């Protein structure tokens, strides 16, 4: 029930793309500063055996981004969409064992500030923004055959949400882009089954 400080990241960043692969936290791209500059730095840290972050191969030039959806499938970090001067549909795979990045088929719709998670070996991507317009779209990515499938849309289109996976359900919590609220944010919680 307490926090303890871990090693600081090599750079101060926000809107980090991160997932856990076999006990190792992997960061693949992020945003920096108040101008939201996209960087492709890649770092890893295995808390059980390491005391500092390791610098890894960066995302290829022109694919760097933050505010994407990240998930781990079969030892691979998948980063879908994100922000690089605007919403992008790029999808990239980082192989932790080989320390290499590979381009994958793009998202059906470019977006940033979406959320998602991995269920049964598929990356689910929900909501997000296309420019300033919140999206309701949901799609899944199958690493084995490299295909995207469009799924049922969210009930409430929004970006900047939080997601979690519980018992094969993707839970989407809160978000931004609500024109009906003076705060601009949403209280909705929705589950995709």
């Amino acid at each position: 029930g307490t926090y303890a400080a871990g090693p600081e990241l090599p750079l101060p960043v926000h809107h980090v793309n991160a997932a856990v692969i076999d006990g190792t936290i992997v960061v693949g791209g992020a945003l920096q500063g108040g101008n939201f500059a996209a960087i492709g730095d890649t770092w890893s840290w295995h808390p059980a055996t390491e005391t500092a972050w390791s610098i890894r191969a960066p995302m290829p030039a022109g694919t760097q981004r933050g505010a994407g959806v990240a998930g781990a499938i079969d030892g691979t970090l998948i980063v879908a969409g994100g922000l690089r001067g605007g919403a992008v549909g790029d999808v990239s795979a980082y192989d932790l064992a080989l320390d290499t990045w590979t381009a994958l088929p793009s998202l059906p719709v470019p977006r940033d500030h979406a959320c998602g998670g991995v269920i049964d070996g598929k990356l689910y991507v929900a909501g997000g923004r296309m420019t300033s317009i919140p999206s309701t779209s949901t799609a899944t990515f199958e690493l084995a055959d490299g295909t995207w499938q469009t799924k049922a849309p969210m009930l409430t289109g929004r970006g900047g949400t939080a997601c979690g996976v519980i018992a094969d359900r993707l839970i989407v919590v809160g978000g931004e882009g609500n024109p009906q609220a003076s705060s601009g944010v949403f209280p909705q919680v929705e589950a995709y089954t």
Side-chain angles (χ1 to χ4, degrees), residues 102-119:
T102 305
L104 297 174
S106 296
L107 278 164
V109 178
R111 62 181 105 174
D112 61 75
H113 289 82
C115 72
V118 174
I119 301 171

Side-chain angles (χ1 to χ4, degrees), residues 12-128:
V13 292
H14 54 90
H15 291 83
V16 173
N17 309 315
V20 176
I21 299 173
D22 298 327
T24 298
I25 303 168
V26 181
V27 170
L31 301 176
Q32 271 194 312
N35 64 350
F36 286 52
I39 65 169
D41 294 47
T42 304
W43 310 309
S44 68
W45 174 46
H46 192 280
T49 61
E50 297 175 329
T51 59
W53 289 88
S54 297
I55 308 253
R56 313 289 259 157
M59 300 175 98
T63 67
Q64 66 275 15
R65 59 200 183 274
V69 173
I73 301 173
D74 298 332
T76 302
L77 172 71
I78 309 294
V79 179
L83 185 69
R84 183 177 61 249
V88 299
D90 301 359
V91 180
S92 306
Y94 174 74
D95 186 308
L96 179 63
L98 299 177
D99 194 27
T100 57
W101 283 95
T102 305
L104 297 174
S106 296
L107 278 164
V109 178
R111 62 181 105 174
D112 61 75
H113 289 82
C115 72
V118 174
I119 301 171
D120 292 332
K122 295 180 183 178
L123 177 67
Y124 284 73
V125 176

